[in-house]
Amino acid sequence: MSEERSLNFIEEIIEEDIRNGKNDGRVQTRFPPEPNGYLHIGHAKSICLNFGLARKYNGKTNLRFDDTNPEKEDTEYVESIKEDVRWLGFEWDQELYASDYFDQIYSFAVKLIEKGLAYVDDSTPDEIALQKGTPTEAGVANEYRSRSISENLLLFSEMKEGKYKDGERVLRAKIDLASPNMHLRDPIMYRIRHVNHHRTGDAWCIYPMYDFAHGQSDSIEKITHSICTLEFIPHRPLYDWFIDELEIFPTKQYEFARLNMTYTVMSKRRLLQLVNEGFVNGWDDPRMPTISGMRRRGYTRDSILEFCDRIGVAKRENVIDVSLLEFCVREDLNKSAWRRMAVLDPLKLVITNYPEGQEEIFEGENNPEVEGGDGSREIPFSRELWIERDDFMEIPSKKYFRLGPGLMVRLKSAYIIKCDDFVKDEQGNVTEVHCSYIPESKSGHDTSAIKVKGTIHWVSVPHASKAEVRLYDRLFNDEDPMSNGKDFLEIINQASLQVMPAVYMEPDMAHAEMGRGYQFIRKGYYTLDKDSVEGNLVFNRTVTLKDTWAKEVKKG
Ligand code: ATP
Ligand code: MG
C-alpha cells in the first residue's frame, strides 16, 4: 500500500493487549454482515479493517452471517457477500451463521430466566414503549416483571413451541427501568415471528434480537476484538451485561466511525429501495456504491484497498469526498489500463491526398507508464477516419488547437494533417471534414519540421469496431442525499446514465477482455460490461481522466 502510516487506535489497543498477554496474545476478529443486501463500499472499510488486523497480527477472521431477521434475509445475499469478500482478496477462517447458534442462544436465555434476570412480557409493543419512559423520565414496571421464574420458564418454552401468535409475548432482560441508558431498560431479547428462515426453515418461531445474538455469537466464537460502528456505543453496556451475567467468553466491543461519502447513499435498506423501485438496474448497477456495482463499473480491487487505507480508521464521524475514491481508481488504472483510441461522438474525416484503398499499420504501446512496456497493438490507418465531433470547429475560437479550416493537428501515432474544407448537410450540420496529410510527418519518423499544438485521437473507418458505451454520473444531485428532511428519491440525478449506442473503436477492441481496464485516450477509463454479447459489446466508463482531486491534494 502507500507510505508507512502510524497505528490507528484499534491497532494501538491490540498491541497493548498483546503486550499484556491478553487472550494469550491471540487476535480473532469477525466480519458480521446481515445477509439482507449486497455489500457496499462502507462494508469494504469494515472488511479491510477486520481482515487487515488479523493479517497484521497473525490472527484469524470469521465471516459470520448475522441472520436473525428472517423476513429480509436470503441466500442470494449470502452468495454475493462471499464473492465480494473474496474479490477484495480476503479469505476467512470459518464461515459461520448466527442461526447456527439458535439452540445455544436459547439456552443462554433460559439461564438468565433461571437467574431471575429475564421475564416474559405480555404487553403490546406500544405499551412496552410507553412504559420504558423517556431519557429524562424513568420507566415503570408492569405486572409481568414480577412473574415467577417457573412461570417465565413455562411461557418461554411455550413461545418456542409456537403456542402464541406474533407479537403476543416477548422475552425481556430484567435490568434497570430507570437507567439513563435506554438500552438497559429491560431490553427485548426474543420476539415471536412465524416466518420461514433461509437456513433454519420452520424450526423456529422465536428469534433473538440483535443485542441478544451479536455479542453472544462473538463470545461463542471467542472473538477477541469485536469491531463495529459508532452507533453501537450506547449498546456496549448491554453487550457487556449479557456476557457478564451469562459468564461466557468476554469479547470486547470497539467502535469506529462508519464510512460516509458525498453523493452516496450507504444503507442497504435504501439501496434495496433503489433496486426495487427501478431507479437502477439491480444491485450491481455500475452507479451503485455496492462492491459488485463498482467491480462491474471497472473499479479495481487495489483501488478500493488503497481508498480504505487512505481514509483510515477514526473515532469521530466524518464525510469523505467521493472524488478521493475516483482519484484512487484513476491512479491505479493509469498503471494498468491499456491505451486505446475510441471515438464517442463520431464525425467523418477524409484525407484527400491519401490514396484510396491504401492502408498502413502503426504500432501503439499498450501502456507507456509500465516500465519495460506492457506490449503493443497494431493500429490500422486509412483514407477515411472517425474523429470526435468536438475536435472540429467551423469557426475556431482563438485558443482552439484542434481542427478547423486551415488548422493543423497531429493524429495520434500517425501524421500531421491540415484541414482544407468541410461539408454540411441541409440542416447546417457538419458531416465531413476534408484534410490533407503531410507524408514526412509520420510519428517517430517526422522530418517535416512542422510544429502543431494539438494531437487528436481517431479510428480508421473501414477497420473500426463498433460498440455501445455507457457513461455514468453521480446518482444524486445533492452532496448529502441522506440529510434530514430530504427524500433521497427526489434528488436522484435523472441523467446519471448516458448511453452512446454507436462508438467507434480500434479494431482490437472487438476482443476486449472482461475485467481489464482500458484508457480511451483523452476520454477516460472504461471496461467491458457483462451485458456484452458477440457482435454487440458494451463498455462502462469507470471514471473520467479529469483529475480535480489531485490538484486539491497537492495544494493541501
Ligand atoms: P446497512 O445500514 O448498510 O444495512 P449495516 O451496518 O446494517 O449496514 P451489516 O450487514 O450489519 O450492515 O454490516 C456488517 C458490518 O459492516 C458491521 O460490522 C458494520 O458495522 C459494518 N459497516 C456497515 N456499514 C458501514 C460503513 N458505512 N462504514 C464502515 N463499516 C460499515
Ligand atoms: Mg445491520
Side-chain angles (χ1 to χ4, degrees), residues 34 36 210 232 268:
E34 184 181 351
N36 61 352
Y210 173 89
F232 289 97
K268 281 181 285 184

Side-chain angles (χ1 to χ4, degrees), residues 50-68:
N50 280 296
F51 283 91
L53 288 169
R55 195 178 268 179
K56 181 164 181 183
Y57 297 106
N58 270 321
K60 289 175 176 163
T61 307
N62 288 340
L63 174 61
R64 185 206 316 140
F65 293 96
D66 235 339
D67 54 349
T68 56

Side-chain angles (χ1 to χ4, degrees), residues 162-174:
K163 206 166 162 193
Y164 306 111
K165 290 199 284 287
D166 287 9
E168 244 183 335
R169 288 186 162 79
V170 291
L171 183 73
R172 295 176 72 178
K174 196 190 231 176

Side-chain angles (χ1 to χ4, degrees), residues 292-325:
S292 49
M294 292 172 66
R295 176 166 64 232
R296 183 170 170 191
R297 178 148 169 179
Y299 272 80
T300 57
R301 163 199 314 183
D302 285 351
S303 66
I304 294 175
L305 298 184
E306 174 68 19
F307 172 74
C308 291
D309 195 52
R310 277 175 181 259
I311 57 178
V313 181
K315 274 197 234 188
R316 263 175 224 286
E317 287 290 349
N318 56 3
V319 182
I320 303 292
D321 193 320
V322 67
S323 54
L324 176 62
L325 184 62

Side-chain angles (χ1 to χ4, degrees), residues 504-536:
Y504 294 109
M505 306 181 177
E506 290 182 36
D508 93 314
M509 289 306 289
H511 313 290
E513 300 162 33
M514 203 73 193
R516 171 171 283 293
Y518 294 93
Q519 185 197 86
F520 291 169
I521 292 164
R522 300 173 63 220
K523 286 286 154 194
Y525 292 101
Y526 294 77
T527 201
L528 193 63
D529 187 76
K530 67 169 191 186
D531 283 350
S532 298
V533 288
E534 181 102 35
N536 186 29

Side-chain angles (χ1 to χ4, degrees), residues 343-348 386-389 430-431 500 502-504:
V343 175
L344 274 73
D345 184 12
L347 172 62
K348 193 178 269 183
W386 295 116
I387 62 164
E388 295 292 346
R389 187 160 284 280
V430 177
T431 53
M500 314 291 282
V503 170
Y504 294 109

Side-chain angles (χ1 to χ4, degrees), residues 5 49 93 238 280 292 343-344 371 479 499 552:
R5 56 164 177 77
L49 180 58
D93 182 39
L238 179 58
V280 295
S292 49
V343 175
L344 274 73
E371 222 173 299
E479 184 174 303
V499 177
E552 293 299 315

